[in-house]
Amino acid sequence: MSENAITTAGEARGAAGEALRPHVEVTFAQELSALAAADDRPRPERWRLSPWAVATYLLGGTLGDGTVITPKYVGPRRIVEVAVTTLATDRALLLLGVPGTAKTWVSEHLAAAVSGDSTLLVQGTAGTPEEALRYGWNYAQLLANGPSRDALVPSPVMRAMAQGTIARVEELTRMPADVQDALITLLSEKTLPVPELGQEVQAVRGFNLIATANDRDRGVNDLSGALRRRFNTVVLPLPATPEDEVDIVARRVAQIGRPLRLPPLPEGTDEIRRVVTVFRELRDGVTADGRTKLKSPTGTLSTAEAISVVTNGLALATHFGDGVLRAGDLAAGVLGAVVRDPATDRVVWQEYLETVVRERDGWQDFYRACREAGA
């Protein structure tokens, strides 16, 4: 690893042009700045924007000076308003939903709009230790000098408490139950004891926490009643209409594709609509016209997976085609997303392919490409 490979958060923001996936506060810095300049509404202490401006940042709009704020979330306005209002209270926010409902995306943008920093993040896994939520130690200093403030390594949550900013905990239900419960005292008392030093860190105004979780993915650990009571839960639904989902997929593919130097998608909307239609019909267990009942595969077929399939298809079209997204570029990705369990999902897919896709007007190229991909 080169000596320049590791950078601080500030240095990373300065090098955003080279980052594969810049933090959202960097990508949307111009919009955040324009909102701050136009925002004359009351702001909670240490918030960069008022709650109204935070909601506008997520939902999109046009400012008085003509600046266009692009939508970051497509869904009911009330959901965003409740989420933003929760962060202005003393209760933490839990974004709950099935996989692929933009929980992480909304969490990141909320932190960026409120605090200007989305990087105070704890990623939940089966192996996440309690120290990730509380604090750890620099063992070289600990062995040399004993417990001290210099030897203490604060967690992102501890840093957010001290700074009065937003911390994020992703996939809370993937953490072991005893690690989850480390948040109970922290969220109720807004204090993090450090008994080794005989000290504590008290949260200053502006601190809050956003957690994401889902109840349907495998490998989850249910939240205790005591921990759930420390959160205000906001459920993020799947996109309400096919048009909403197509719009979400197109926007995210464009955002992901820019740093990857992939071409825009002016001619790819029809192909995106096909992927969204397939995913929605198999997810709902019925065709869009309501006439044919379908078996659903074991996977979630989420919007996030549709974004991944289209992005991969666009990369195929760019590097091994003429840059125009076509059915053949998407077929393998769709097959991989649908057929997770070879024993059961392949039967579901073949039945859908032969009874629905084959008979659908204008879908013959997609049918042939999918047949070839599964051959």
Side-chain angles (χ1 to χ4, degrees):
M1 181 180 293
S2 70
E3 61 181 8
N4 295 324
I6 300 177
T7 63
T8 66
E11 291 169 339
R13 293 187 184 96
E18 297 298 322
L20 182 61
R21 205 278 199 183
H23 300 302
V24 296
E25 57 268 28
V26 176
T27 302
F28 298 96
Q30 185 176 357
E31 291 186 16
L32 289 167
S33 178
L35 273 166
D39 186 14
D40 58 359
R41 304 194 182 205
R43 307 180 188 184
E45 195 161 350
R46 293 187 176 84
W47 279 40
R48 299 290 186 92
L49 300 172
S50 69
W52 171 85
V54 174
T56 301
Y57 170 70
L58 263 77
L59 294 166
T62 302
L63 303 183
D65 63 359
T67 300
V68 176
I69 306 300
T70 57
K72 318 301 180 303
Y73 175 72
V74 177
R77 182 178 186 85
R78 200 60 174 173
I79 285 178
V80 173
E81 291 176 343
V82 171
V84 174
T85 302
T86 296
L87 295 177
T89 71
D90 65 345
R91 291 180 69 81
L93 173 63
L94 176 62
L95 298 176
L96 191 66
V98 299
T101 47
K103 299 183 297 295
T104 297
W105 184 244
V106 171
S107 161
E108 188 176 5
H109 280 288
L110 282 171
V114 171
S115 300
D117 185 358
S118 64
T119 65
L120 296 177
L121 169 67
V122 177
Q123 179 62 57
T125 69
T128 300
E130 187 174 326
E131 290 79 4
L133 294 173
R134 295 168 58 82
Y135 56 86
W137 297 97
N138 180 322
Y139 287 102
Q141 292 197 35
L142 186 65
L143 291 172
N145 304 310
S148 67
R149 288 289 273 186
D150 290 338
L152 186 143
V153 180
S155 70
V157 177
M158 177 183 273
R159 289 165 55 198
M161 293 175 69
Q163 297 168 8
T165 55
I166 301 294
R168 299 166 54 215
V169 178
E170 290 296 317
E171 301 289 358
L172 178 59
T173 49
R174 287 194 171 276
M175 295 181 181
D178 57 330
V179 177
Q180 294 176 13
D181 287 346
L183 287 172
I184 293 177
T185 300
L186 188 154
L187 293 178
S188 58
E189 303 297 329
K190 300 296 188 291
T191 299
L192 181 53
V194 187
E196 295 90 341
L197 301 180
Q199 300 176 7
E200 64 181 18
V201 174
Q202 289 190 313
V204 300
R205 292 177 184 174
F207 165 73
N208 214 325
L209 185 139
I210 307 171
T212 66
N214 75 77
D215 291 333
R216 287 174 51 182
D217 205 2
R218 296 178 181 176
V220 300
N221 300 293
D222 289 338
L223 302 181
S224 66
L227 183 54
R228 277 187 179 270
R229 288 193 295 272
R230 270 65 181 183
F231 286 98
N232 188 29
T233 301
V234 172
V235 178
L236 297 184
L238 290 164
T241 67
E243 290 71 23
D244 285 347
E245 193 158 3
V246 169
D247 182 50
I248 292 168
V249 174
R251 287 179 184 276
R252 286 294 293 130
V253 169
Q255 290 164 352
I256 294 168
R258 277 194 288 270
L260 298 176
R261 302 294 190 266
L262 298 179
L265 276 170
E267 301 177 41
T269 306
D270 288 343
E271 300 303 335
I272 293 176
R273 187 171 297 280
R274 285 179 175 178
V275 174
V276 168
T277 299
V278 170
F279 279 26
R280 290 180 72 91
E281 289 183 333
L282 288 174
R283 198 165 64 207
D284 296 341
V286 64
T287 53
D289 58 13
R291 295 179 179 177
T292 306
K293 296 287 186 180
L294 303 170
K295 296 175 183 176
S296 294
T298 57
T300 57
L301 298 182
S302 66
T303 308
E305 289 170 297
I307 292 167
S308 177
V309 168
V310 175
T311 302
N312 188 68
L314 185 58
L316 275 173
T318 300
H319 299 299
F320 296 98
D322 59 3
V324 177
L325 186 66
R326 293 187 174 88
D329 304 312
L330 297 169
V334 172
L335 178 65
V338 174
V339 182
R340 298 294 179 85
D341 183 333
T344 59
D345 292 343
R346 187 170 293 279
V347 175
V348 171
W349 174 241
Q350 289 297 333
E351 184 176 312
Y352 176 75
L353 198 62
E354 297 300 328
T355 60
V356 177
V357 175
R358 183 179 182 179
E359 304 301 323
R360 187 164 277 164
D361 289 342
W363 281 49
Q364 290 308 302
D365 58 335
F366 186 76
Y367 171 75
R368 288 192 297 270
C370 290
R371 284 292 305 270
E372 291 172 5

